[in-house]
Amino acid sequence: MGGELLDIAAARLREASSLFVVTGAGISAESGIPTFRGAGGLWEGFSFQSLATPEAFAEDPGRVWRWYRWRAEQYGECLPNPGHDVIAQMEAAIPEVLIATQNVDGLHRRAGNVNVVELHGSIADMRCVACERLAPFPQGAIVDDPVPRCAHCTAAMRPHILWFGETYWPGILEQAQAAARQADVCLVVGTSAQVWPPVALALHARDCGAYLIDVNPEVTDLSRTADAHLIGPSGTVLPELWERVGR
Ligand code: OAD
């Protein structure tokens, strides 16, 4: 990673009064959570069409639930890593901060962030397919029917996670857009930039004047257009960056 670029990015962060952060699966990789794409990625062994679409749920809700229960168990064993910790420190130090995450693992909140928009939902919640009430995601082993029922209307519950082919929940993108618009710095961490709305948020921030930093060990379409592509794992790069900021 170029030290000069790191210094320039650090200077921008030092002066920032408003920060907009977009994270993807890469920030949780060092917590032991597999990313979606690439070698060893979550989608490598599974087809998302059979697990993460409304059609898959309609066809076999038990299969979908078993997969999400397995993922929830994995997440439960993971802890925030130094990359998450730095983003929590940023929220404590910079007046206006919003984290828009594509991750459903809850690790930003566990690291101490409060201003978090979970663009793709949360593994901590489930939602009734009929009345849309939320309830906590079930814990422990599946005993009988893997599909939980709504306590209010007895319809099937589903994970409160955005699936392929679904639109974002009302208000979510607007909230993130407002933060993107006023940001002095937009920090993108650990996303392959394959899913458009989060990329569009980062580009919106840049178009509105934010300095765009991308932290990723690999080159992506977004890192190519960033003002600073800081190359490396976020668990190392973010602590180095924050140390240079010295806030
Ligand atoms: P991906 O799995 O597509 O991409 C992960 C990115 O993280 C890649 O660009 C890696 O190079 C990078 N990466 C890996 N290790 C890293 C590390 N230690 N530090 C920093 N970066 C690292 O994940 P997302 O871009 O988050 O959506 O995927 C977006 C969405 O696609 C997900 O939210 C999910 C998925 O389908 C839904 O399920 C709706």
Side-chain angles (χ1 to χ4, degrees):
M1 190 193 351
E4 200 183 327
L5 202 53
L6 201 61
D7 281 334
I8 295 169
R12 292 300 190 122
L13 273 168
R14 197 175 306 120
E15 289 155 13
S17 56
S18 176
L19 170 68
F20 178 57
V21 183
V22 178
T23 63
I27 193 165
S28 296
E30 289 156 271
S31 293
I33 297 179
T35 58
F36 288 90
R37 298 176 180 82
L42 198 54
W43 291 143
E44 199 181 44
F46 300 97
S47 103
F48 68 78
Q49 292 93 339
S50 69
L51 293 165
T53 61
E55 294 76 21
F57 190 74
E59 187 188 296
D60 190 346
R63 178 180 64 210
V64 172
W65 263 110
R66 277 189 288 273
W67 189 66
Y68 278 100
R69 296 280 288 256
W70 169 73
R71 277 181 63 190
E73 235 173 81
Q74 282 191 320
Y75 293 173
E77 290 164 8
C78 295
L79 295 171
N81 68 57
H84 295 105
D85 293 341
V86 164
I87 293 177
Q89 289 163 30
M90 288 174 171
E91 187 176 320
I94 299 173
E96 299 286 336
V97 177
L98 186 77
I99 324 307
T101 186
Q102 298 168 81
N103 302 341
V104 300
D105 56 34
L107 290 181
H108 284 302
R109 290 187 195 282
R110 282 170 66 193
N113 281 110
V114 176
N115 300 329
V116 182
V117 171
E118 288 163 318
L119 298 169
H120 295 167
S122 166
I123 198 83
D125 299 318
M126 59 179 179
R127 183 175 87 238
C128 176
V129 296
C131 72
E132 303 208 321
R133 280 191 174 86
L134 292 179
F137 196 94
Q139 303 292 320
I142 298 169
V143 186
D144 197 0
D145 184 355
V147 184
R149 298 276 145 192
C150 177
H152 298 275
C153 74
T154 74
M157 300 295 282
R158 57 164 281 179
H160 183 50
I161 287 175
L162 190 79
W163 285 332
F164 289 89
E166 294 184 322
T167 50
Y168 282 64
W169 293 291
I172 286 244
L173 285 178
E174 289 76 3
Q175 191 186 349
Q177 273 160 358
R181 241 187 328 271
Q182 67 163 35
D184 302 315
V185 174
C186 175
L187 174 64
V188 177
V189 186
T191 181
S192 60
Q194 300 286 307
V195 174
W196 176 247
V199 175
L201 287 170
L203 294 178
H204 185 53
R206 195 201 52 188
D207 290 347
C208 294
Y211 183 81
L212 181 60
I213 304 171
D214 190 14
V215 178
N216 197 313
E218 290 175 11
V219 175
T220 70
D221 287 345
L222 195 62
S223 71
R224 279 194 198 94
T225 67
D227 295 301
H229 176 198
L230 304 180
I231 301 167
S234 47
T236 308
V237 172
L238 287 177
E240 272 186 50
L241 175 65
W242 193 235
E243 197 184 307
R244 290 184 195 216
V245 173
R247 267 179 100 144

